[in-house]
Amino acid sequence: MNQTIDLLTSHRSERSYLDQPIADEVLDSIIAAAHLAPTSVNSQQVSLVVTRDPAQRARIAEIAGGQAWIAKAPVFITVVLDMHKTRLGIAMGGQQQTAHQSIESLLSGSTDVGIALGALMTAARSHGLGIVPIGGIRRDPQALIELLQLPELTFPVAGLVIGHVDQGAQQKPRLPIDSFRHEERYQRENLPDAIKAYNQTLSDYWQQTGRADGDDWSRNTASYYQHIYFPNVLPAIQQQGFKLDK
């Protein structure tokens, strides 16, 4: 093991923060790590909106469904799929962008957002800061688009809370590695036993951490995935000018 592997394998989603600010030079270095992350065909179709204003963070917390840690921590970063920027660059070269009219652009752009998000998380934790990624900004994407004044052909895919940890979280166990790592082919025959074992592991974890309301993985995932989790995503994406196919 080296320090980078130790950092990555000790991930915790922290939800308890001090209101202590993050030094500008530290935040700059975290953002630089994401800025230099790879993107498909060097499109650089990712932008970040950094929110430090307390009122703005409180509003984002509300949009995300009342996630208090967004308002408490000193920095929130929205990671934006940005094909407004690419369209402008292409137009400046005398040509026309059409890629945003296909679902491929959403997959490619979301992949690049994920890479940037991973870089932000790793960089922040390397400074001893806590993080928690936030998908809840997609609960009401149009409200966030308006708050952040995002132009056409952009979409807020995910966000990240960054701050100094108050009460540290425990690391949550994962499904067994053989449900994640597949050699040469997808080995679905391993999944039932892996899921059964993990349901028990997660139930034990909730008991150990004093969470009497904690469900096993099957029931917890069903509570989200028995319905369309964020039904306002598609209309907001279309309102922003994206199409699922040309």
Short mmCIF file of all heavy atoms in Angstrom, two decimals, residues 10-38:
data_model
loop_
_atom_site.label_atom_id
_atom_site.label_comp_id
_atom_site.label_asym_id
_atom_site.label_seq_id
_atom_site.Cartn_x
_atom_site.Cartn_y
_atom_site.Cartn_z
N SER A 10 -9.76 4.61 2.34
CA SER A 10 -10.27 5.04 3.65
C SER A 10 -11.42 6.04 3.50
O SER A 10 -11.75 6.76 4.45
CB SER A 10 -9.16 5.66 4.50
OG SER A 10 -8.65 6.84 3.89
N HIS A 11 -12.04 6.07 2.33
CA HIS A 11 -13.12 7.03 2.07
C HIS A 11 -14.24 6.95 3.11
O HIS A 11 -14.68 5.87 3.51
CB HIS A 11 -13.74 6.80 0.70
CG HIS A 11 -15.06 7.49 0.54
ND1 HIS A 11 -15.16 8.85 0.34
CD2 HIS A 11 -16.33 7.02 0.63
CE1 HIS A 11 -16.44 9.19 0.28
NE2 HIS A 11 -17.17 8.10 0.46
N ARG A 12 -14.70 8.12 3.50
CA ARG A 12 -15.89 8.25 4.33
C ARG A 12 -16.69 9.45 3.81
O ARG A 12 -16.10 10.48 3.48
CB ARG A 12 -15.53 8.49 5.80
CG ARG A 12 -14.95 7.27 6.49
CD ARG A 12 -14.26 7.66 7.79
NE ARG A 12 -13.83 6.51 8.56
CZ ARG A 12 -12.75 5.78 8.29
NH1 ARG A 12 -11.99 6.08 7.24
NH2 ARG A 12 -12.42 4.74 9.05
N SER A 13 -17.99 9.31 3.76
CA SER A 13 -18.85 10.44 3.42
C SER A 13 -19.18 11.17 4.72
O SER A 13 -19.95 10.68 5.55
CB SER A 13 -20.13 9.96 2.73
OG SER A 13 -19.85 9.49 1.43
N GLU A 14 -18.57 12.34 4.89
CA GLU A 14 -18.71 13.09 6.14
C GLU A 14 -19.93 14.01 6.07
O GLU A 14 -20.14 14.71 5.07
CB GLU A 14 -17.45 13.93 6.39
CG GLU A 14 -16.16 13.14 6.44
CD GLU A 14 -16.01 12.28 7.69
OE1 GLU A 14 -16.91 12.34 8.56
OE2 GLU A 14 -14.99 11.58 7.81
N ARG A 15 -20.71 14.04 7.13
CA ARG A 15 -21.91 14.87 7.18
C ARG A 15 -21.96 15.75 8.43
O ARG A 15 -23.01 16.26 8.78
CB ARG A 15 -23.16 13.99 7.08
CG ARG A 15 -23.28 13.31 5.72
CD ARG A 15 -24.53 12.44 5.63
NE ARG A 15 -24.74 11.93 4.29
CZ ARG A 15 -24.17 10.83 3.78
NH1 ARG A 15 -23.32 10.12 4.55
NH2 ARG A 15 -24.41 10.45 2.55
N SER A 16 -20.82 15.92 9.07
CA SER A 16 -20.74 16.78 10.25
C SER A 16 -19.52 17.68 10.08
O SER A 16 -18.39 17.20 10.01
CB SER A 16 -20.61 15.94 11.52
OG SER A 16 -20.44 16.77 12.66
N TYR A 17 -19.76 19.00 10.01
CA TYR A 17 -18.70 19.94 9.66
C TYR A 17 -18.63 21.11 10.62
O TYR A 17 -19.65 21.55 11.18
CB TYR A 17 -18.91 20.48 8.25
CG TYR A 17 -18.71 19.44 7.17
CD1 TYR A 17 -19.80 18.72 6.69
CD2 TYR A 17 -17.45 19.16 6.67
CE1 TYR A 17 -19.63 17.75 5.72
CE2 TYR A 17 -17.27 18.19 5.70
CZ TYR A 17 -18.36 17.48 5.23
OH TYR A 17 -18.18 16.51 4.28
N LEU A 18 -17.42 21.63 10.80
CA LEU A 18 -17.20 22.91 11.44
C LEU A 18 -17.45 24.02 10.41
O LEU A 18 -17.39 23.77 9.20
CB LEU A 18 -15.77 23.00 11.96
CG LEU A 18 -15.32 21.90 12.92
CD1 LEU A 18 -13.81 21.97 13.15
CD2 LEU A 18 -16.09 21.99 14.23
N ASP A 19 -17.70 25.23 10.89
CA ASP A 19 -17.86 26.34 9.94
C ASP A 19 -16.54 27.05 9.66
O ASP A 19 -16.50 28.16 9.14
CB ASP A 19 -18.93 27.32 10.42
CG ASP A 19 -18.62 27.90 11.79
OD1 ASP A 19 -17.52 27.64 12.32
OD2 ASP A 19 -19.50 28.61 12.33
N GLN A 20 -15.45 26.39 9.98
CA GLN A 20 -14.11 26.93 9.74
C GLN A 20 -13.85 27.06 8.24
O GLN A 20 -14.08 26.12 7.48
CB GLN A 20 -13.08 25.98 10.37
CG GLN A 20 -11.64 26.36 10.15
CD GLN A 20 -10.70 25.31 10.74
OE1 GLN A 20 -11.13 24.46 11.53
NE2 GLN A 20 -9.43 25.35 10.36
N PRO A 21 -13.39 28.20 7.76
CA PRO A 21 -13.18 28.38 6.33
C PRO A 21 -12.01 27.54 5.81
O PRO A 21 -11.15 27.09 6.58
CB PRO A 21 -12.88 29.87 6.18
CG PRO A 21 -12.38 30.29 7.53
CD PRO A 21 -13.10 29.43 8.52
N ILE A 22 -11.99 27.33 4.51
CA ILE A 22 -10.88 26.65 3.83
C ILE A 22 -9.97 27.71 3.24
O ILE A 22 -10.45 28.63 2.55
CB ILE A 22 -11.41 25.70 2.74
CG1 ILE A 22 -12.25 24.58 3.37
CG2 ILE A 22 -10.26 25.10 1.93
CD1 ILE A 22 -12.97 23.71 2.37
N ALA A 23 -8.69 27.60 3.48
CA ALA A 23 -7.73 28.58 2.97
C ALA A 23 -7.80 28.63 1.45
O ALA A 23 -7.95 27.61 0.78
CB ALA A 23 -6.32 28.22 3.44
N ASP A 24 -7.64 29.83 0.91
CA ASP A 24 -7.75 30.01 -0.54
C ASP A 24 -6.76 29.14 -1.30
O ASP A 24 -7.09 28.55 -2.33
CB ASP A 24 -7.52 31.47 -0.91
CG ASP A 24 -8.70 32.36 -0.55
OD1 ASP A 24 -9.80 31.82 -0.28
OD2 ASP A 24 -8.52 33.60 -0.53
N GLU A 25 -5.53 29.05 -0.79
CA GLU A 25 -4.52 28.28 -1.52
C GLU A 25 -4.84 26.79 -1.51
O GLU A 25 -4.52 26.06 -2.47
CB GLU A 25 -3.12 28.53 -0.95
CG GLU A 25 -2.91 28.16 0.51
CD GLU A 25 -3.26 29.28 1.49
OE1 GLU A 25 -3.99 30.22 1.10
OE2 GLU A 25 -2.77 29.21 2.64
N VAL A 26 -5.48 26.31 -0.45
CA VAL A 26 -5.90 24.91 -0.40
C VAL A 26 -7.03 24.66 -1.40
O VAL A 26 -6.99 23.70 -2.17
CB VAL A 26 -6.35 24.53 1.03
CG1 VAL A 26 -6.99 23.15 1.06
CG2 VAL A 26 -5.15 24.58 1.99
N LEU A 27 -8.02 25.53 -1.40
CA LEU A 27 -9.12 25.39 -2.35
C LEU A 27 -8.62 25.49 -3.78
O LEU A 27 -9.05 24.73 -4.66
CB LEU A 27 -10.19 26.45 -2.08
CG LEU A 27 -11.45 26.36 -2.93
CD1 LEU A 27 -12.14 25.01 -2.77
CD2 LEU A 27 -12.41 27.49 -2.57
N ASP A 28 -7.69 26.39 -4.03
CA ASP A 28 -7.13 26.52 -5.37
C ASP A 28 -6.47 25.23 -5.83
O ASP A 28 -6.60 24.82 -6.99
CB ASP A 28 -6.10 27.66 -5.42
CG ASP A 28 -6.74 29.04 -5.31
OD1 ASP A 28 -7.97 29.15 -5.43
OD2 ASP A 28 -5.98 30.01 -5.09
N SER A 29 -5.75 24.57 -4.93
CA SER A 29 -5.05 23.34 -5.31
C SER A 29 -6.04 22.21 -5.56
O SER A 29 -5.82 21.36 -6.44
CB SER A 29 -4.03 22.94 -4.24
OG SER A 29 -4.67 22.41 -3.07
N ILE A 30 -7.14 22.17 -4.81
CA ILE A 30 -8.18 21.16 -5.02
C ILE A 30 -8.81 21.34 -6.39
O ILE A 30 -9.00 20.38 -7.15
CB ILE A 30 -9.23 21.26 -3.90
CG1 ILE A 30 -8.63 20.85 -2.56
CG2 ILE A 30 -10.45 20.40 -4.23
CD1 ILE A 30 -9.49 21.19 -1.36
N ILE A 31 -9.13 22.59 -6.73
CA ILE A 31 -9.76 22.87 -8.02
C ILE A 31 -8.79 22.60 -9.16
O ILE A 31 -9.18 22.09 -10.22
CB ILE A 31 -10.27 24.32 -8.04
CG1 ILE A 31 -11.46 24.43 -7.07
CG2 ILE A 31 -10.67 24.75 -9.44
CD1 ILE A 31 -11.93 25.83 -6.81
N ALA A 32 -7.51 22.88 -8.97
CA ALA A 32 -6.51 22.61 -10.01
C ALA A 32 -6.46 21.12 -10.34
O ALA A 32 -6.26 20.75 -11.51
CB ALA A 32 -5.13 23.11 -9.57
N ALA A 33 -6.63 20.26 -9.33
CA ALA A 33 -6.60 18.82 -9.58
C ALA A 33 -7.72 18.41 -10.53
O ALA A 33 -7.54 17.55 -11.41
CB ALA A 33 -6.72 18.06 -8.26
N ALA A 34 -8.90 19.01 -10.36
CA ALA A 34 -10.02 18.70 -11.25
C ALA A 34 -9.85 19.35 -12.61
O ALA A 34 -10.21 18.78 -13.65
CB ALA A 34 -11.33 19.15 -10.62
N HIS A 35 -9.30 20.55 -12.63
CA HIS A 35 -9.07 21.28 -13.88
C HIS A 35 -8.17 20.50 -14.83
O HIS A 35 -8.37 20.51 -16.05
CB HIS A 35 -8.46 22.64 -13.55
CG HIS A 35 -8.16 23.49 -14.74
ND1 HIS A 35 -7.00 24.22 -14.85
CD2 HIS A 35 -8.85 23.72 -15.88
CE1 HIS A 35 -6.99 24.87 -16.00
NE2 HIS A 35 -8.11 24.58 -16.65
N LEU A 36 -7.20 19.80 -14.28
CA LEU A 36 -6.23 19.07 -15.09
C LEU A 36 -6.61 17.61 -15.29
O LEU A 36 -5.83 16.85 -15.87
CB LEU A 36 -4.85 19.18 -14.46
CG LEU A 36 -4.26 20.60 -14.43
CD1 LEU A 36 -2.97 20.63 -13.65
CD2 LEU A 36 -4.07 21.14 -15.84
N ALA A 37 -7.78 17.21 -14.82
CA ALA A 37 -8.25 15.83 -15.01
C ALA A 37 -8.57 15.58 -16.49
O ALA A 37 -8.89 16.52 -17.23
CB ALA A 37 -9.47 15.56 -14.15
N PRO A 38 -8.50 14.33 -16.95
CA PRO A 38 -8.76 14.04 -18.36
C PRO A 38 -10.22 14.20 -18.73
O PRO A 38 -11.11 14.03 -17.90
CB PRO A 38 -8.32 12.58 -18.50
CG PRO A 38 -8.45 12.00 -17.13
CD PRO A 38 -8.13 13.11 -16.19
#
